[in-house]
Amino acid sequence: MTAAPVGHDDYALSRVPQAARYPWWSVATQRFGQISGLSQFLLGATLGFGLPFWQAFLAFTLGAVVLELVSIAVGIIGQREGLSTSVLSRWTGFGQGGAAVVALVIGFSATGWFGVQSQLAGKSLAKILGGLPVWGWSMLFGLLVTLIVTYGFRWMAWTAYITVPAFLIMAGVSVVIELRRHDLGGLLTDAAPGPHLTLVQAVTLVAGQFMVGAVITPDMTRFNRSPMDVVKQTVVGITLGEWVIGSVGVLLAHALHSKDIATIVTSSVGWVGVLVIVVAALKVNDWNLYVSSLGLANFVKTVFGVQVHRAWVSIVVGVVGSALGAAGILSRYTDFLNLLAVAFPPIPAIMVAEYYVARRWRGQLTAAGTALPATSPMWVPATLVIWLLAALFGKYVKFGLPSVNALIAAFVLYLVADRIGLLRGFGSHATAPEATNTAPQQRV
């Protein structure tokens, strides 16, 4: 491992060697933890407040199918190439400049999610333990997560081994206690307690809730050993996370006539409910911060030519994200999801279209072997135009599902642009030698 003042760089700007990869179940535990957190409870409660149970279940099913297809397709690219999303995008349609834009968008979005989870934990801790205001607990929680992420994938794996079972046990206890007070048959057939949501709105929320997770799948799957490992962990993680955790959130919203997740979870079991929220936020929030640090490290290197250690980026972003949580960005939660639902789908669609079909730059990745290609296109203007047009199509076209519309539009437009010769790189950027970890981390 290269000498560093703190933490582990985790191959932020280079390929992950085979010796540093993990068994599929190790990565799958983190994938399930990433999906099955309090944000999923919150999403389930939001849907349950506006839809009957079976309509909400249908929305989760449709959204899960979209997410699984996208995550598997992009995840296999990351596994094969051993590169994070922001670095990989240099040779999957975006070029050096476009990759910097992708990295910045991912970094800011993941930092926002980090703030959402920090506020959830801070609100619960303040309610039960007191002593500090919500913003104080939010800051403390965010700084704890920052410490874990500073030391990279290995610490995050051990965090998942502890927090995922703890979350499932404690959440199960709180759910059973609460639901025993109600008629389950009635909860399955009752009308929604709040303002009505349409099925299209609901599926959009489901797809948007984890679309950032789908886009940054290579950040996780670069540590997988085979494409089949990617398939297994994606199907298990997303299916269970969406159906089990999301459906429970729907039932609790019907039972308590509320979509306030802190109220829902803590109303029945007090301090155990607080632990559920804190543990759930912990196992999700480390990945929010981790992918943000990868994206922003790539952005700084690309734009300013300065290679910054990923661990230091984690520290800076962790402090900023904790402050966002303390400032209360959770109040914009639904608007945030709707924005992500149309802004992010074009990214994986373009990467998939380029890598599997157009293949204009795939040869460079293959020829480079275990290193990075010597050069990358500086800009691919057509890609940026396609990204914008697809996002606008997803947002303003009224039929179908916005996230799916944006995905399909980006995929089709990219292939059309390839066929008529518009996919041209302008300028060439020489890839500087990247600092690598010469000794792989101990696998767990």
Side-chain angles (χ1 to χ4, degrees), residues 107-361:
F108 280 155
S109 299
T111 301
W113 281 114
F114 181 83
V116 167
Q117 296 291 335
S118 295
Q119 188 191 352
L120 276 170
K123 182 178 180 181
S124 301
L125 289 168
K127 179 178 179 179
I128 301 299
L129 300 181
L132 290 174
V134 172
W135 68 265
W137 284 114
S138 298
M139 285 294 298
L140 285 178
F141 178 83
L143 294 177
L144 171 63
V145 176
T146 301
L147 175 64
I148 294 170
V149 175
T150 296
Y151 288 91
F153 194 91
R154 187 186 177 200
W155 277 40
M156 292 161 62
W158 280 109
T159 299
Y161 298 155
I162 296 169
T163 56
V164 168
F167 169 75
L168 292 176
I169 292 171
M170 290 188 292
V173 170
S174 65
V175 167
V176 169
I177 290 175
E178 182 57 46
L179 292 184
R180 285 178 64 183
R181 303 172 183 172
H182 304 270
D183 174 35
L184 181 59
L187 296 179
L188 293 175
T189 57
D190 284 347
H196 178 69
L197 283 174
T198 67
L199 184 61
V200 170
Q201 289 173 323
V203 176
T204 300
L205 287 172
V206 173
Q209 192 268 351
F210 195 65
M211 190 53 72
V212 176
V215 171
I216 54 85
T217 294
D219 292 353
M220 182 179 290
T221 60
R222 65 199 179 111
F223 287 99
N224 279 124
R225 294 170 176 171
S226 71
M228 185 52 64
D229 287 355
V230 176
V231 174
K232 288 185 291 188
Q233 76 186 37
T234 302
V235 172
V236 171
I238 292 182
T239 300
L240 291 180
E242 294 288 351
W243 281 348
V244 177
I245 307 302
S247 296
V248 168
V250 174
L251 290 175
L252 290 175
H254 279 232
L256 296 173
H257 295 266
S258 172
K259 61 179 179 179
D260 184 340
I261 193 62
T263 298
I264 289 174
V265 177
T266 61
S267 62
S268 55
V269 286
W271 64 270
V272 175
V274 172
L275 287 178
V276 170
I277 290 179
V278 172
V279 168
L282 180 62
K283 69 188 179 62
V284 174
N285 231 16
D286 55 0
W287 269 98
N288 289 328
L289 182 55
Y290 185 71
V291 300
S292 180
S293 68
L294 289 174
L296 293 178
N298 182 53
F299 175 79
V300 172
K301 178 64 183 294
T302 301
V303 175
F304 301 104
V306 177
Q307 183 162 329
V308 292
H309 198 277
R310 186 205 60 80
W312 282 113
V313 177
S314 298
I315 293 172
V316 173
V317 175
V319 173
V320 172
S322 300
L324 288 175
I329 69 169
L330 186 58
S331 60
R332 302 293 294 175
Y333 185 84
T334 301
D335 291 342
F336 191 45
L337 290 183
N338 282 320
L339 175 62
L340 297 183
V342 296
F344 278 87
I347 298 175
I350 289 168
M351 295 177 70
V352 168
E354 164 57 34
Y355 190 84
Y356 293 110
V357 184
R359 299 189 174 198
R360 284 184 171 263
W361 293 282

Side-chain angles (χ1 to χ4, degrees), residues 2 7 34-35 82 86 96 110 151 153 185 196 210 227 232 247 255 295 334 344 376 378 437-438:
T2 28
Q34 187 185 36
I35 299 170
S86 57
Q96 189 79 1
Y151 288 91
F153 194 91
H196 178 69
F210 195 65
K232 288 185 291 188
S247 296
T334 301
F344 278 87
S376 63
M378 190 64 212
N437 298 302
T438 56

